[in-house]
Structure formats: C-alpha cells, structure tokens
Amino acid sequence: MIWRKWNFWLVLVMAATCIGLLEAAQVYAGTSALGRPMPWRTALASTMPSWYLLAALLPAIIWASRKFPLEPGRWRLSLVVHVLVATVFAVFHVTASSWISDAILYTGRQQPWDFRGNISRLLSIYFVVELFTYFALVAGYHAYEYGKRYRERERATALLQLRATRLEANLAQATLDSLRMQLNPHFLFNTLNTISVMALKGERHGVVRMLALLSDLLRLSLQNTQQVVSLRQELEFLDHYLEIEQVRFRDRLTIERDIEQDALDAEVPSLLLQPLVENAIHHGIARRAGPGTVRLEAGIVTGEVLELRVLDTGVGLGAPAGDSTGLGLSNTRARLEQLYGDRHELELTDRPGGGACVTVRLPLRILTREQMDATGRGIGAFAAGSASA
C-alpha cells in the first residue's frame, strides 16, 4: 500500500513541514505589519498542527478515493459517500488541529481555555475551506490514477503495436518466401519442358548443354536466398538464364541492353527480371515467325526512382495468345506489393511498332558494399563451384 512506503511518509512530512513554516512566516509577517507581532512559538503552534494532521489523514483520504472512485456507473454512490466523509473530515480536522494548538499554547497558563467556543468559531470560518481541501485531494488522487492508467494503456498499446508490427513483418517475409519459392519450380518446369522438346527433336548436344546450364542456374538460385539484391547481381543471374534461352532459340533471339552504370548498385527484388524476360520470350518472341529482340533498359529517373524496362518485338499484348498474366508475372506483382506497397509501379503496354513493354518503377535504394557482399555470397559460391566443376 502507498502509505506503507517510507519514502511516501518522508515526502509527506517534509511537504507538511515546508507548507506549515511558510504559513507561520506569513502569519508572523502579517501580524507584524499590523503592529501586533505574534511570537514565533504562537505562529508555529497555530499552523503546524493543522498541516501535520492533514498529512496523517491523507492515507485515509486516498483509501476512500480508491474504495469509492468517481467513475461512470458508480459516481452517484461514491459522491454521497465522499460528501459524508468530507463532512467528518472537516469537523475532525478543525477540532483536532484546534485542540492540539490550544493545548500547546495554553498549557501551564492561567488564561482560561474556551475550547468549545473556539471550535464553533473555527468551523464557521473554515468548514467550507475544509470541504474544498478534501475534494481537492480526492481530485488529485483521481488525476494521478487516471494519468497512471493512461501511461499503462499507452505502454500496452505500444507493446501490442510492436507485436503486431513484428507479426506483420514475419507474415510479409513468409509471403515473400512463398512467392519466391513458387518462381523456382515455375522456371524449372518451363526449362525442363524446353529440354524435353529438344530431346524429342534429337538435339543431343543441345540437351547436354541445357542440362549443364540448368544445373549451374539452379545451384545459383538455391545459394542466393536474399529477397533483394543489387541490379548488378540480378543481371548476372539473368545472364545464365538467357544462355539457356539462346541455346533453344539460337539466331531467333537477340538480347540488347541499355543499363546506366549508376543504376547497377540499386536494390531490386531477386528474381525480378527473370520472369519478366521469360514472359517476353515465351509469350512474345516464341509466338511470332522469324527472329525477335528482347531489350533490357535500366536507369535512374529524377534521382529518386529506379526504372526498369523489358521490351520485346513479339506479338504484343493484344494478340489472342499473348496473355501476359501468368504465374511469373502475377507473383512478381505480389512480391512488389509486399516489398514496396504503393511506392512501386508495374505497367504493361503495347509498343507502337509491335511487341510489348513491361515497365517497373521502384524507390531508389543504393546498396552499401557490405549489403552487396552479403547478397553476393551466393553468386561468389556459384562462381567457385562452376570453376571447380
């Protein structure tokens, strides 16, 4: 309980002493100004007992305030109780303070002591003040309790928000991992389908080459588990995929690039470009007669946005077989939404001269050397494995 703490009592006694001394000084100064100075002993005896007694009664007031709080739903009963307690408090405080003061002042004196008359006079003067004092203390206690509850609610709310944020982050990470893991088998199945077609055509050397490239690419994909990498690392991964596609399409596929040097260290989601390029090749170039071109462009726009574009000279979005909303592209949309929210753009448009264009705009984030080293371990391990093979 609060009144059982020594520091509480110490502060209470010190506060009562300071206020009593200030009031005694005021009484002494006031009587001196009127030409009838009151002795310090009399001034102290007139003020100190009241404040010490109030300090002693404060725990009882706190108990009553806690037992009968002025809160919605029970304030009427509590108010009645507090009015009764306040009345008892006023009478007792005035009576006891006066009795102690008079006992100090008149002990050993022959001057008559009119205690009853003195009490009646003091109650007529200070009764309303005592009521206000009681309810001021009750209000102070309620203000303290409400402040404490508010701080506790704030701490609880902050803790819940922190837990919700962590849960949301874990859920987002799990969703990203799930989407990313869907891309690996999606790409694998498409590549194996290409290999099976080449095997049926009797292209033995091509099949062997494709299997070797696929093995290297899968090793790199499994070793690099980061959600984001630098554009440079993403392009290195894409090069291995394009080797597989150029084995299949030979002279029918031409790859062009226009990559700004300043954009190479920018952050991009890993496996971002591969499904976009795969979409351009399999839904664009593969469905038209004759050779085709896939062009990669990357640059920084307005100093704050990384813009990536994958253009092809295929059949375009309007062709019946040109559905560009497959698993790879839908997962790319979902991953961008998870990573960047509304701070990204992904647009699919037809090119005026034929073909399609996919544009991705991301907030520009330049990776530090340490971050690139961390995300590049998979590529480094892949290069070492390829060299040893």
Side-chain angles (χ1 to χ4, degrees), residues 103-234:
I104 295 172
L105 291 173
Y106 292 103
T107 299
R109 295 187 181 185
Q110 299 298 323
Q111 186 175 352
W113 181 10
D114 185 11
F115 178 71
R116 181 177 299 180
N118 193 36
I119 291 299
S120 300
R121 180 178 60 84
L122 291 174
L123 283 175
S124 65
I125 297 174
Y126 294 110
F127 181 76
V128 175
V129 176
E130 293 291 325
L131 293 181
F132 275 108
T133 300
Y134 174 85
F135 280 104
L137 293 173
V138 171
Y141 170 79
H142 280 81
Y144 169 79
E145 282 295 313
Y146 291 152
K148 185 173 71 171
R149 293 178 191 176
Y150 175 78
R151 290 190 297 271
E152 290 174 352
R153 284 196 297 268
E154 287 290 302
R155 285 194 294 268
T157 302
L159 182 59
L160 289 176
Q161 289 177 343
L162 178 60
R163 290 177 178 174
T165 301
R166 289 177 177 174
L167 182 61
E168 183 179 355
N170 291 337
L171 179 60
Q173 185 64 35
T175 302
L176 286 170
D177 290 340
S178 175
L179 292 172
R180 191 180 188 280
M181 293 308 295
Q182 288 180 28
L183 288 175
N184 290 333
H186 173 68
F187 158 73
L188 175 61
F189 295 151
N190 286 344
T191 305
L192 290 176
N193 181 63
T194 299
I195 293 174
S196 65
V197 172
M198 295 178 68
L200 290 174
K201 292 180 178 180
E203 301 177 5
R204 292 181 298 173
H205 295 292
V207 169
V208 172
R209 175 62 177 159
M210 287 280 280
L211 288 174
L213 291 172
L214 178 61
S215 174
D216 289 343
L217 188 59
L218 287 178
R219 185 190 311 164
L220 175 60
S221 177
L222 292 174
Q223 289 172 342
N224 181 18
T225 59
Q226 300 292 330
Q227 286 293 348
V228 294
V229 296
S230 67
L231 178 60
R232 186 192 313 274
Q233 294 163 337
E234 179 70 3

Side-chain angles (χ1 to χ4, degrees), residues 342-378:
D342 57 0
R343 294 171 297 164
H344 81 281
E345 297 179 24
L346 193 155
E347 297 177 353
L348 283 79
T349 56
D350 279 311
R351 299 180 66 188
C357 173
V358 180
T359 303
V360 178
R361 297 183 183 91
L362 305 174
L364 180 63
R365 298 175 183 170
I366 302 298
L367 295 180
T368 65
R369 178 56 54 188
E370 292 76 11
Q371 290 172 320
M372 283 188 284
D373 289 343
T375 58
R377 290 191 186 110

Side-chain angles (χ1 to χ4, degrees), residues 16-80:
T17 301
C18 291
I19 298 173
L21 289 174
L22 288 174
E23 187 178 8
Q26 182 182 10
V27 171
Y28 178 80
T31 56
S32 298
L34 295 174
R36 298 189 300 272
M38 179 183 293
W40 263 106
R41 178 177 180 275
T42 303
L44 291 173
S46 301
T47 59
M48 299 301 293
S50 174
W51 289 106
Y52 282 134
L53 186 58
L54 180 60
L57 292 174
L58 183 58
I61 297 174
I62 293 176
W63 178 88
S65 301
R66 181 177 297 167
K67 193 72 174 178
F68 300 96
L70 296 171
E71 295 178 345
R74 55 183 304 186
W75 67 270
R76 291 181 177 85
L77 174 62
S78 297
L79 183 60
V80 171

Side-chain angles (χ1 to χ4, degrees), residues 258-277:
D258 183 11
I259 310 296
E260 294 181 8
Q261 288 295 316
D262 293 343
L264 289 175
D265 292 335
E267 171 195 297
V268 297
S270 62
L271 289 180
L272 171 66
L273 294 178
Q274 185 272 324
L276 300 183
V277 172

